[in-house]
Structure formats: structure tokens, C-alpha cells
Amino acid sequence: MSEARRFPVSRRGVIAGGTASVAAANLPWSDVKAQQVERSVEPPSVSVSLNINGEERDLELDTRVTLLDALREHVGLTGTKKGCDHGQCGACTVMVNGERVNSCLSLAVMHEGDEITTIEGLGTPDALHPMQAAFVKHDGYQCGYCTPGQICSAVAVLQEIERGIPSHVTDDLLADMQPTNMEMRERMSGNICRCGAYSNIAEAMADVAEG
Amino acid sequence: MQSFTYERAQTPAEAAKAAAERENAKFIAGGTNLLDLMKLEIERPTHLIDVGRLGLKEIEDTSDGGLRIGTLVSNTALSAHPRVRRDYAVLTRAIQAGASGQLRNKATTGGNLLQRTRCPYFYDTNMPCNKRQPGAGCAAQGGYSRQLGVVGVSDSCIATYPGDMAVAMRVLDAVVETIAPDGTERRIPIADFHRLWGDTPHIENALQPGELITHVTLPRPIGGRHVYRKVRDRASYAFALVSVAAVLQPDGRGRVAFGGVAPKPWRMPEADAELPRGAKAVVGRAFADARPTEHNRFKIALAQRALAGILSDAPAQQEG
Ligand SMILES: Cc1cc2nc3c(=O)[nH]c(=O)nc-3n(C[C@H](O)[C@H](O)[C@H](O)COP(=O)(O)OP(=O)(O)OC[C@H]3O[C@@H](n4cnc5c(N)ncnc54)[C@H](O)[C@@H]3O)c2cc1C
Ligand code: SF4
Ligand code: FES
Ligand code: FES
């Protein structure tokens, strides 16, 4: 069924937000009963435009689709991994508008117009990102499942240190931040590695930090 | 996850109004707590109002020398703000002691204040829980209650407010600013924001239905040594068993609040007044009415030791 048929223009207007939401109560389909009928027929879906690794992607998604599932199941970028699906492991880490986030705890629809960078966008097998190259050099993984999340996080951590964002282990909040081993370990604590490749990951990061 | 309709609000007033107009609607900001709970169907909104694009991302100086924080300021941005680092360091320390780098980038100021408890039985939908389902009973009492509350708890529920940021905001006497669906704005002192829930543990804070947090204001800085010490099962990325936020003045006076022990950040003026007499006196006062379980009695001793550690540190030293 075409999206246009499933969602008449007025509904799309509200889904897209804007001033339409205030008027929503007056529209016939926002009637609670009508809504329930609609829901039992077909779950609500929305159109979302994401800029993924520099490419515009227009998607029609169930409102429930997380950014992680949008990337993996709808765009086919399976580099980003699903570990826990609850913000606890970091396997799903991607960058949104330059900041690392857990893509499992965010809805795709919340990211309309956002720039998403996944592991596929950092580098390619022929032209590795320096952090990818350093992970290879230092054996920063064993099974590799957590690795895309680790690498996205590691790249972001070095940027966060450079931007002067303090951490739990920063002694002097008013001094410049340094990419010490302690700092990197603390800042990477949101990425769990079941294989325990932590010390090699820290070495890979130190390598990149030293330039 | 139960299905839901979605809208993106454009102004705070419009968001609050929309929340009142729709049955079973919820705001979503960072989504890091709400979506976690929606996946488990502990939260089951049928309509989401995305407040993520309302602006409200500024941190501004107030006319009396304080700071006004928009609700959408991320935890990372708030903790890194130069004035917070300089004048309200306990807040930077508390935020940085919580969650992970990824989560702090996404978590918002208002969403963090409203994060729900981490009681394992609240999360396990096979177990009775008065907070999840009023009247169902409380599996934690008589169950495994090591992480749960020791003070301010009730017969209905012994869970804690789990967050870190709010504990620092409590010693800083922050004020939560809101807008209601009818457009009324009000200011709620942080002391009154989280409730001692008694026999209604599903009502956790002072917000009325549809009421939206717009800002959090910090009063003029009070100087002193700012410390947040968090004790947990691992060194990072874990919730507090006990945490202590303190602002200590050179003359030995100060303010202290405890996290991980009660339904709200736990601070008592009478306990603050005991600071010059040491940790034992403070904790004796703050936990005088404690009713721990056999599993979590240790939290009181832990709170005392954590505070004693802070008080015995060299005054010039800052720590996390
Ligand atoms: C693995 C993990 C570990 C964590 N560890 C810690 C930790 O150690 N310490 C800690 O403090 N926290 C921790 N957290 C919790 C984290 O801090 C919260 O999830 C986060 O702060 C919530 O902010 P948010 O913007 O994502 O909220 P959301 O999930 O968007 O919202 C949370 C609630 O607030 C409501 N809401 C949001 N904004 C507003 C508003 N402006 N007005 C009214 N209502 C609003 C929503 O409707 C919802 O009910 C952890 C979370 C995870 C997943
Ligand atoms: S302590 Fe509170 S949250 Fe935990 S099971 Fe009992 S009622 Fe539920
Ligand atoms: S899959 Fe997102 S944090 Fe584990
Ligand atoms: S390399 Fe196997 S989980 Fe990290």
C-alpha cells in the first residue's frame, strides 16, 4: 500500500509536528475512538529524512523504529551492532551531529534532518580512518562485535577531550583536558567488550591521540 | 513496545497544551530513560510529544549572578559549561559520575530529573510492584533489596530516586521552572520537586499532568569546596549505592545531600548544621528515621564513611 494512501495529508501534517498539533484536537481522526481503530488496523508510521554518512535517505517508518533499527534493518548498514538494546553496552554507538550517542535509545523519527555517522562513514577498507587502522595495528578486538561501537566512541572521545569536556577522573576542572590512559578508560566505560580487549583499545587510542 | 502516534512540538506552551489534549501522552526529550522503559512496556504512552526541538538549549547568567539552564541542555554540555565548572563544580562532578559519555550527550536536564527508579522489581514486569501497578504489592520488601532505599521510604515502596545530577542540584538549591497546559508558569524548589511518595509511589514528583519543565535555575554561587563522591559496584557506568554531594566552607560549615538512599535527594537542614561536628553527627541526624532492610543497612555506614572521607581531605583539593 502506498504511504500516501495510508496517511492522508492532514495526518502527516500532525505527525510532522508544527502548529498543526494544537489544532489536532479539532480534527476528526484525533478523536480517541477513531485513533484506537486506526491503531488496531495499522501502527502509525512517519516519513523521516536522515543524512547518513553524507547521503540523504528518505524513510517511511513505524514510529517505534529506533535509530539503530533504521540503520540496520531499513538502510542496510549493519556495521552498527545491537548488543543490549537498552543503552548498557555501547555496541550501537554512532555519531549524531558530531556527538556519540546510543542509537538503540533513540527513535529514528527524533532525528529528522540530523547528520548520522556510522562506522561505514568513518572509513572504508581501502581508506581506513586512523582509529580503524590503530585498532587493527593494536589488536583492539577479538570477536569484533563491539568494535564498530568502540571505534565510533573512541573517535568521539578524543574530540571530547580536545573540546575540553571534563570527565569523572579529571583532577582540575579548570585546566586543559589531556588524553591520558585514565581519561580514555573512564570515557570509554560506556562501551563494553565481552572479549576484554580493553587494554589494546586504550593503546590504539593513545596511538591516535599522539598523532 | 506499544505503538504510538508522534508529534514534534514547536513551543513549550504548545507542547504542554498538546499533552493535556491527548490521553496517555508523554513528552520525550533525550529518550534514554523513556524508551528503555517503553521497550519493556513499563511505560506505555500512546502518543509522544517530542520536545527535542523547542530551543531551551541555552545556559544564561541570571541578573542576581546565578545560572538559568534550558531543559534541553544536555548533561555533557551542562557539566562542561565554564561557569558550572568554576562556580558549581559539584554539579559537573555529579553529572560526570553518572551514566556514560554516549548517554550524557543525549540526556537532557529535565529528563534527568525525571528519570525513574532502578528497583529491579520495577523493571521486572513479572513481579508485583506498587509503583508500576498501584495496589499490586511490593516484591522488593522481603526480596533482594540491597540497592534500595533506607530513609524516606514507605510500606508501599522502598525504591530510590537513582540519579546523580539532582543530588548536586539539591545542595545548590536549584529551582525547577515549568509551564502548565493552561500557560501558567511556576517555580518549584528542588527540595519540593521529588516527592516522598508514601502510599502513592506511582506519583514521584510535583508536576501536574501535562506540565513541562522549561528551565532549571541555580542561585548565586556560594563558593566553598565542591565535592561529589559516588560509591558503586564498579568504578564507572553504574548507579550509586550511596553518593554524597557536599559544598564545604573554610569555617567547617556547609551543605550535604545523599543520593541512592531515598525517594529523593536526601538533605536535611538539621544535618547540614552538624557538619562542623563531623560525619557521624551528620549521618546520625540525616538517617535518624532510617528503616533499612537487612540487605541495605550497610548504606548508612557507607554514607558515613563516604562523608568522613570527604571531610578529612585536604581543603584545597577537589575530587569526584
Ligand atoms: C545504562 C544506563 C546507565 C545510567 N546510569 C546513570 C547514572 O549512573 N546516574 C544517573 O543519574 N543516571 C543514569 N542513567 C539515566 C540517565 O541519566 C537518564 O536516562 C537521562 O538523564 C534521562 O534524560 P532524557 O532526556 O533522555 O529523558 P527522557 O527519557 O526523554 O525522559 C525521561 C522522562 O522525563 C519526561 N520529560 C523529559 N523532558 C521533560 C520536560 N522538559 N518536562 C516534563 N517532562 C519531561 C519524559 O516524559 C519521561 O517521562 C543511566 C541510563 C542508562 C540507560
Ligand atoms: S520498592 Fe517500589 S519500585 Fe520496587 S518493587 Fe516495591 S513498589 Fe515497586
Ligand atoms: S545496543 Fe545500544 S547500548 Fe547496547
Ligand atoms: S571484541 Fe568481542 S566483544 Fe569486544
Side-chain angles (χ1 to χ4, degrees):
Chain A
M1 194 194 282
S2 85
E3 292 302 329
R5 271 180 57 211
R6 261 189 0 214
F7 298 105
V9 174
S10 57
R11 177 176 179 123
R12 201 179 275 264
V14 140
I15 283 170
T19 46
S21 61
V22 176
N26 304 323
L27 298 175
W29 50 258
S30 77
D31 174 274
V32 174
K33 252 191 248 145
Q35 273 220 333
Q36 274 164 0
V37 172
E38 252 187 354
R39 250 198 312 280
S40 66
V41 174
E42 192 122 31
S45 110
V46 277
S47 36
V48 190
S49 304
L50 304 174
N51 182 309
I52 305 170
N53 300 330
E55 228 179 281
E56 291 295 335
R57 304 297 296 250
D58 296 323
L59 305 168
E60 287 288 335
L61 302 171
D62 185 314
T63 50
R64 290 170 290 186
V65 173
T66 59
L67 178 60
L68 172 60
D69 287 340
L71 292 169
R72 288 183 55 86
E73 313 294 334
H74 296 266
V75 181
L77 290 173
T78 53
T80 308
K81 298 294 185 261
K82 183 184 284 188
C84 64
D85 213 21
H86 283 279
Q88 298 171 357
C89 75
C92 65
T93 304
V94 300
M95 309 240 232
V96 174
N97 301 332
E99 292 190 341
R100 59 179 170 148
V101 303
N102 304 96
S103 59
C104 70
L105 282 191
S106 206
L107 296 170
V109 60
M110 292 159 70
H111 292 286
E112 173 67 32
D114 283 351
E115 288 182 15
I116 320 290
T117 306
T118 69
I119 188 72
E120 290 92 342
L122 277 184
T124 63
D126 302 328
L128 293 177
H129 183 280
M131 191 63 79
Q132 291 171 317
F135 267 61
V136 173
K137 178 174 160 202
H138 292 275
D139 261 341
Y141 44 79
Q142 286 181 40
C143 77
Y145 195 80
C146 70
T147 311
Q150 299 278 5
I151 291 177
C152 286
S153 215
V155 169
V157 161
L158 296 188
Q159 291 168 359
E160 286 165 14
I161 292 173
E162 214 163 286
R163 274 159 46 207
I165 293 165
S167 87
H168 175 57
V169 299
T170 305
D171 277 337
D172 182 354
L173 292 183
L174 303 180
D176 284 344
M177 305 298 139
Q178 299 299 328
T180 61
N181 183 268
M182 271 289 278
E183 283 282 0
M184 291 191 290
R185 293 180 96 94
E186 160 58 25
R187 290 166 192 264
M188 290 295 287
S189 72
N191 291 82
I192 309 293
C193 176
R194 184 73 205 275
C195 301
Y198 299 113
S199 56
N200 291 1
I201 291 170
E203 278 173 29
M205 290 177 70
D207 206 341
V208 176
E210 282 156 19
Chain B
M1 201 189 303
Q2 179 169 306
S3 71
F4 53 84
T5 48
Y6 171 90
E7 76 181 272
R8 199 170 290 130
Q10 303 295 313
T11 67
E14 186 189 302
K17 193 155 174 256
E21 279 167 359
R22 294 295 198 101
E23 214 177 314
N24 211 2
K26 265 206 160 293
F27 302 122
I28 186 162
T32 60
N33 190 229
L34 185 58
L35 284 171
D36 187 15
L37 294 168
M38 282 171 65
K39 287 180 183 193
L40 299 165
E41 300 206 343
I42 294 165
E43 298 269 17
R44 286 178 296 175
T46 51
H47 185 67
L48 282 188
I49 300 162
D50 186 349
V51 297
R53 315 248 166 154
L54 293 181
L56 302 176
K57 280 196 171 168
E58 304 292 315
I59 302 177
E60 311 155 316
D61 293 337
T62 61
S63 54
D64 69 347
L67 218 51
R68 188 166 186 241
I69 304 152
T71 188
L72 294 171
V73 171
S74 73
N75 284 182
T76 301
L78 181 55
S79 75
H81 189 273
R83 275 212 57 203
V84 177
R85 283 150 75 162
R86 193 188 69 204
D87 296 335
Y88 306 97
V90 65
L91 183 55
T92 294
R93 294 294 183 194
I95 291 172
Q96 286 299 336
S100 67
Q102 290 95 313
L103 288 161
R104 291 189 297 267
N105 282 344
K106 200 84 194 319
T108 64
T109 309
N112 191 318
L113 286 177
L114 289 167
Q115 64 177 290
R116 303 202 66 193
T117 188
R118 294 279 161 170
C119 170
Y121 302 100
F122 172 74
Y123 264 80
D124 182 347
T125 50
N126 294 311
M127 303 300 276
C129 169
N130 286 325
K131 192 184 275 298
R132 222 185 323 102
Q133 196 187 341
C138 170
Q141 294 174 62
Y144 182 70
S145 53
R146 178 173 175 272
Q147 296 110 301
L148 304 188
V150 296
V151 69
V153 294
S154 71
D155 289 339
S156 297
C157 176
I158 60 168
T160 63
Y161 171 78
D164 294 296
M165 183 192 80
V167 186
M169 286 187 169
R170 182 67 186 88
V171 288
L172 295 171
D173 284 336
V175 175
V176 181
E177 294 180 38
T178 68
I179 183 164
D182 67 2
T184 321
E185 295 176 13
R186 66 171 177 144
R187 297 164 57 83
I188 309 166
I190 187 91
D192 304 330
F193 185 78
H194 296 102
R195 281 180 79 231
L196 290 185
W197 46 58
D199 56 8
T200 50
H202 58 294
I203 305 171
E204 295 166 343
N205 56 64
L207 294 184
Q208 297 296 315
E211 192 170 0
L212 178 84
I213 298 176
T214 57
H215 300 86
V216 174
T217 304
L218 302 179
R220 191 147 45 91
I222 54 169
R225 180 164 71 101
H226 287 228
V227 189
Y228 189 77
R229 182 168 284 189
K230 180 173 176 179
V231 188
R232 44 185 160 175
D233 286 330
R234 47 181 192 216
S236 185
Y237 202 20
F239 282 93
L241 287 167
V242 166
S243 70
V244 185
V247 177
L248 302 165
Q249 303 298 344
D251 64 3
R253 288 182 302 164
R255 303 175 178 183
V256 58
F258 299 90
V261 294
K264 60 193 288 184
W266 196 248
R267 177 173 170 212
M268 292 170 82
E270 304 88 327
D272 282 0
E274 298 288 344
L275 270 168
R277 279 174 288 283
K280 192 167 178 218
V282 173
V283 169
R285 192 71 205 80
F287 292 84
D289 298 325
R291 33 173 288 188
T293 67
E294 58 172 315
H295 295 141
N296 66 22
R297 190 174 303 278
F298 75 95
K299 284 194 175 191
I300 300 171
L302 199 54
Q304 187 176 317
R305 286 184 201 160
L307 179 59
I310 290 170
L311 297 179
S312 67
D313 276 329
Q317 193 183 322
Q318 289 224 335
E319 62 187 291

